[in-house]
Structures are given as C-alpha cells and as structure tokens.
Amino acid sequence: MPDPLPSARLPLIEALAAIVGHRHVLTSAVQIEPYSSGFRYGAGRADAVVLPGSLVEYWRVARAVLRDGAVLISQAANTGLTGGSTPYGDDYGRTVVIVSTRRLKGVALLGDGCQVLCLPGSTLFELEAQLGAIGREPHSVIGSSCIGASVVGGVCNNSGGALVKRGPAYTELALYGALGSDGELRLVNELGIALDSDPESALARLDRGEIAPEAVAWPADRRASDRDYEAHVRDIDSPGAARFNADPRCLHGASGSAGRLVVFAVRLDSFPQERDSRVFYAGAGDPAAFTRLRRAILASGAELPIAAEYLHRSAFDVAARYGKDMYLALDLLGTARLPRLFAAKRRIDRIGARLGLRGGLSDRIAQRVAGWFPGHLPRRLREWRDRFEHHLMIKVSGSGAAALRERLNALTAEGGDWFECTAREGAAAFQHRFAAAGAAVRYRDIHAAEVEDIVALDIALPRNAEDWFETLPPEIATDILQPLYYGHFLCHVFHQDYLVRKGADPEAVKTRMLALLDARGAQYPAEHNFGHLYAAPDSLAAHYRRLDPANQLNPGIGKTSKRAGWA
C-alpha cells in the first residue's frame, strides 16, 4: 500500500494519476527509493514518482507539477555518478516529484540515417543497435551505453565518451519545454522539423512516429554534434581543457541544460562505423613517456586514433578482482543482454532493501559467482601489468596503424614497450578498462568495514599540461586506502576514484583534492553532470537561472539554491 501522504499533496497526486493512471504514480517509500537514490552518489526525499507513457502525458504531467509550484526532477535511466537526476536531502521546502521517462522510448532515422531523432527514454544501447543495422554508430559506443544510459541524458549533461574525434554529446536541434517567469511551460521547437503549433498536437505526432520527410529541414547553421572537436583536441598548447561540463561553447538549448528544461526529443548526427580497426597495448614506467607520445599523436597531421584509454596499475588490479563479473558478462553475454541483466540487478536490490539487506545485495552475489570462474585476462595483459605502472590501449583504423607503430617504437626507446593485440586481446583490454569504472563501488560495498566512502572525481586537465599524473601529498594520502586512475588519455579527461579510509571524512578529502586540482588548472566535472557533488561556477549558475527562473526544475544542481524563486 502507498504510504500516507499529507493532505496538501493529495490533489496533485490525484491529478497526476488522472493523467497516467494510478499504477504509474508511485508513492510508497519502497517504490520511490530506486528513483530517489543515485547510481553512485546522493539520495533525497521525493513525494512521488510518475512514469508517463507518452510525450503528451509527459507534457501534461510537467504542467500539472509546475503549476502546483512543486519541484520536477526528470530522470531517464538514473545511471549518473553525481546524483544529477535525483533529489538530494529533504530541504526543498516543496513537494518533490520525480518523472521517470523510461517508458518514452523511440528512435527515428532521418534521411539516410546520417541523423537520428531520439525520445527521452531511448538509450545509447538501443540507438547503437538500430544504427548498426545500417553500418553507422552514435556519438558514444562504450561504457554507459551498456548499462542503459539515455541519449537525452547525455545531451543534457554534455557527456563525453571514449571516442577521440567526437567530443561531448551536443546538439542545437531539440524540442523542449521551457518554464517562463510567469510559471507557464512553453514548448520550444528547435528540432528543424515542422510540427503543429499546438503543443499536444505536436507531441502526439511524435508519439505516433509521424515525421514526413518533407517536414525535416537540414539547416546548415545548426549543428547536431560538436563538429569542431577534432581541431579543438589537437590544440596541445592551449591552457584550456578539451572538454568539460561548463564549457560555454557547448551550452545551447537542451545541451548542458542539466534538467533545467523538460526535453522531449533531440536530433543528433550519426557516424560511419569503423570496420578495419586495430588495438595496440602500451606500457610505461615513466608517465613522461606517455606525455611525449600523446603530444606526438595529436600534433601530427595523421589520422587521429578512434580511442586511447589510460589505466593505472592500481585500477588494473581492482578491476581484475572487483570488475570481473562485468567483464565476464560482456564476454559471455554480449552487450545485447546487458540491459536485462541490469534490470534484474535492480530487482534483486529492491528485494534486498525490502528485507532490510542494504548495501548492494546483487553486487555481493555477483562478486561471489565471479570468484568461481578462472582467471579471465589474457596472458600478455597480465605480463604488462607486472612490468609497467602505466597502461595505454589505443584503437586505430587500419589506415592509421603504420603511423602509430612508428610512435610506439619511440616509446620503446624510452623504456616502455607495446604489442599489437590479437582480436581477443583487444576486446579484453577495452572490456577490462570498462570494468574499472564500477570496480571502486564494488570494492567499497565488499569492504565496508575498511572504506568510509568513495570520492569520485571526473576532471579535465589543460590540453598543454605535461605533468598529468598525480602525486598525492602525505596529508591526503594518509586518508586514502587506494587511488584509482583511468580515463580518456588524448582528451586529458581522467576519472580519479579515491577509496577513503574508514573514519576519515570524505567531504574533507574532496575539498582538499579540488584545491589541488584548481592549482593545476583543471576543470571539473569533465563529462558528468555537476549534480550535487560539484559547485557550479557563477557563469553556469547564471545559465541555470535563465533556463529556469522559478527554480522548479531540478533545483540544487551544482550546489545552487533549492528554494523557490532562487531564494
């Protein structure tokens, strides 16, 4: 049975149920918890979760919530790492409604598939599968696509990815609701697709998939991806970061809106699939050797690699043990079955929560099962782990392989070494790198008696930075059991996870870490939402205020005010 609600909230709940049906309005604490707790960080109070089944229902729900003066938090897959699509705490001073868009799936190919139209619940995995059938691929094809991250969420957060040439998820073509200073939600059509002037008629047309080819314009002055990124990342002497969440050049409409708009559809470029690719695996004891390799690759006029992923030995080790089940799932099941696997994982955790078994029941089961399997990493990867502290896996097209071999030979002269992977080794290297992203969370849950929490930082170093590898000062190192480093090396975007020793203060550790990063000229976050983990700079906070003058849409993001009217 739903938990009792204060009588003042009942009219809104009943109004929402009248729009979507009672079974799609969740009000009990057990039902709400999976939506109100972040994938890695943050949790807060919500009064209801609403799951609309069409864009028209989404529009009606949003208008009802906003006219009531309540808070609306739009959420797709809840795969974010900073609590950017969940409430945080219970100090909003108003009713809080989470609107889950998981039921609002839909991908339409435009033209010959060179662009796509995605609805709010469409995932990167679904988009990748649909484009793959015509020999094309989306902006991002690694990592979060496997666990169900949404396309629209990526755009709203300017999310990045591992593909060197493509930069952040970005578009200037979107359909969204913007809340005016008068409290009214208005539909803004920047899709480049002719739709009815009446909002519900326009949204109903998209619900039915009625997009006539003649209604689709192809404006030359409106971009559906960051087409300038390749030149941008090659500028190795620039003191600015290659990509980061608050970059003003990538804030436009839905792009970078971080939940401050109600986004109904985005239009994005697709890309030809890379078919003839090779993977090279390199190791070095001195990070300066990788510095010179990076600058040589980016400064040359040769074709850029497809991906270049960095992994430190400590992250290698933790991923080998605590990411083993993810590696095996990728290896044995393939990406096609992973969405179902993660849905089952969520169900198991809900059962555990109902039984009072907090702390990741599914993770504990998966860790135990993974231990039954023999060693999973190829021999040469394990040998390189023993020989070198720093690891780099580089994927190139067949036409770029010869130039990369020359540069890797220079690395050998500096004490490093490399090998060209077999197909099996190349797949294993990238699967292992992907597994590293969730390994810290698993380590924390398994070793709760030793680990206070994780401080997970997502940073972008200046493009001209040469001293990229971090050396922790003793006053911070004493509070950390293990730092884990991995990232997108050519873009100088790094994920730095710190397992904080039991009894130490994670917030104090984070504050000291951010001060060190400020001194190094880093930007953060690099490719995740500011969420409730990072403080937005004044320029970005002002941008949020322009998008949402009443402060009803995802308030508190970037540690801004949670109160009505930005009080």
Side-chain angles (χ1 to χ4, degrees):
M1 291 291 292
D3 293 342
L5 286 167
S7 58
R9 295 175 190 153
L10 287 175
L12 174 60
I13 301 302
E14 287 302 317
L16 297 174
I19 296 170
V20 302
H22 282 278
R23 67 188 295 257
H24 296 302
V25 179
L26 314 179
T27 58
S28 75
V30 170
Q31 290 174 318
I32 290 173
E33 194 274 338
Y35 300 89
S36 61
S37 298
F39 174 67
R40 179 184 280 185
Y41 179 84
R45 181 191 60 79
D47 297 288
V49 175
V50 184
L51 294 91
S54 68
L55 296 179
V56 172
E57 287 186 357
Y58 189 15
W59 168 260
R60 291 173 179 171
V61 164
R63 292 185 79 194
V65 172
L66 297 171
R67 284 179 170 176
D68 186 79
V71 165
L72 186 151
I73 299 175
S74 293
Q75 181 187 102
N78 192 15
T79 59
L81 303 179
T82 62
S85 60
T86 55
Y88 188 76
D90 61 356
D91 54 343
Y92 290 85
R94 300 167 275 173
T95 301
V96 175
V97 177
I98 299 170
V99 179
S100 171
T101 63
R102 286 180 180 173
R103 298 174 65 209
L104 305 180
K105 297 184 180 297
V107 173
L109 304 182
L110 302 179
D112 58 358
C114 63
Q115 287 191 346
V116 294
L117 179 74
C118 297
L119 300 189
S122 58
T123 66
L124 281 167
F125 172 77
E126 292 159 350
L127 177 58
E128 185 178 339
Q130 192 159 334
L131 285 172
I134 60 169
R136 298 186 71 83
E137 62 188 21
H139 163 268
S140 180
V141 296
I142 190 172
S144 56
S145 62
C146 297
I147 58 173
S150 73
V151 177
V152 169
V155 170
C156 293
N157 296 329
N158 287 144
S159 297
L163 302 181
V164 176
K165 306 172 190 177
R166 297 185 192 168
Y170 179 75
T171 187
E172 296 167 3
L173 302 167
L175 179 70
Y176 55 86
L179 184 62
S181 55
D182 59 356
E184 283 298 310
L185 191 68
R186 292 176 176 82
L187 191 65
V188 180
N189 184 4
E190 296 179 346
L191 272 178
I193 298 175
L195 297 170
D196 301 344
S197 58
D198 174 67
E200 292 202 6
S201 298
L203 294 168
R205 187 176 294 277
L206 291 183
D207 278 327
R208 296 190 297 269
E210 295 177 358
I211 304 173
E214 60 272 18
V216 180
W218 300 89
D221 60 339
R222 303 283 289 280
R223 298 181 297 162
S225 63
D226 186 1
R227 298 172 189 166
D228 302 325
Y229 186 73
E230 183 170 345
H232 188 67
V233 76
R234 284 186 184 273
D235 188 1
I236 57 173
D237 294 318
S238 171
R243 52 183 170 90
F244 57 101
N245 189 277
D247 189 346
R249 70 186 194 91
C250 290
L251 299 177
H252 181 101
S255 297
S257 58
R260 297 291 186 168
L261 300 171
V262 182
V263 181
F264 295 98
V266 295
R267 182 173 163 183
L268 297 161
D269 288 332
S270 69
F271 305 86
Q273 281 183 336
E274 298 275 5
R275 296 190 180 277
D276 179 25
S277 63
R278 323 280 173 83
V279 175
F280 295 79
Y281 199 95
D286 182 0
F290 277 177
T291 299
R292 290 184 281 274
L293 176 63
R294 172 183 175 270
R295 291 181 66 85
I297 291 172
L298 292 176
S300 75
E303 179 184 357
L304 283 180
I306 299 166
E309 293 294 286
Y310 170 76
L311 193 65
H312 185 261
R313 180 187 279 158
S314 62
F316 185 108
D317 291 345
V318 170
R321 183 170 180 182
Y322 299 96
K324 184 177 179 180
D325 62 298
M326 175 54 63
Y327 179 102
L328 293 172
L330 285 166
D331 203 40
L332 301 176
L333 302 178
T335 57
R337 296 182 184 177
L338 281 188
R340 290 183 182 178
L341 180 66
F342 275 86
K345 183 179 185 297
R346 285 193 294 268
R347 286 195 294 271
I348 291 171
D349 285 337
R350 287 175 194 170
I351 292 170
R354 289 171 185 170
L355 296 174
L357 303 174
R358 302 284 177 174
L361 176 61
S362 65
D363 283 332
R364 294 178 182 277
I365 294 172
Q367 186 67 24
R368 177 65 61 88
V369 171
W372 298 340
F373 286 79
H376 59 293
L377 295 177
R379 174 183 55 81
R380 284 202 288 186
L381 266 65
R382 290 183 277 111
E383 289 177 353
W384 252 243
R385 179 267 169 220
D386 294 338
R387 291 178 60 190
F388 300 108
E389 181 179 358
H390 305 282
H391 298 244
L392 191 62
M393 56 214 74
I394 307 175
K395 181 183 288 188
V396 295
S397 65
S399 58
L404 181 59
R405 288 189 190 99
E406 282 187 33
R407 293 182 176 84
L408 290 172
N409 285 333
L411 176 70
T412 304
E414 297 185 65
D417 204 353
W418 62 277
F419 63 90
E420 185 169 348
C421 296
T422 64
R424 169 68 180 157
E425 289 170 333
F430 276 92
Q431 284 172 200
H432 187 54
R433 158 64 184 89
F434 169 67
V441 176
R442 175 68 55 75
Y443 187 103
R444 178 195 63 189
D445 291 344
I446 299 297
H447 298 281
E450 304 160 33
V451 180
E452 187 69 32
D453 206 348
I454 301 168
V455 171
L457 301 181
D458 162 39
I459 69 165
L461 293 177
R463 281 166 283 171
N464 66 353
E466 297 191 15
D467 186 16
W468 55 270
F469 185 68
E470 176 180 80
T471 302
L472 289 174
E475 62 271 19
I476 295 179
T478 55
D479 287 339
I480 295 173
L481 282 172
Q482 186 72 268
L484 308 175
Y485 303 106
Y486 51 97
H488 316 305
F489 190 65
L490 296 186
C491 301
H492 255 189
V493 168
F494 295 93
H495 303 293
Q496 304 186 169
D497 295 344
Y498 305 93
L499 296 162
V500 178
R501 194 180 303 277
K502 197 70 174 179
D505 182 356
E507 282 299 314
V509 170
K510 186 185 78 172
T511 298
R512 286 181 287 175
M513 287 302 315
L514 294 182
L516 290 177
L517 292 170
D518 290 340
R520 297 171 67 192
Q523 295 281 353
Y524 48 84
E527 56 182 6
H528 299 155
N529 192 304
F530 272 80
H532 298 280
L533 184 60
Y534 301 96
D538 291 344
S539 59
L540 186 62
H543 177 66
Y544 291 160
R545 291 185 72 140
R546 286 191 293 271
L547 294 180
D548 178 19
N551 202 27
Q552 287 182 257
L553 294 160
N554 215 7
I557 289 298
K559 295 186 178 290
T560 56
S561 170
K562 295 180 184 176
R563 295 297 196 170
W566 296 87

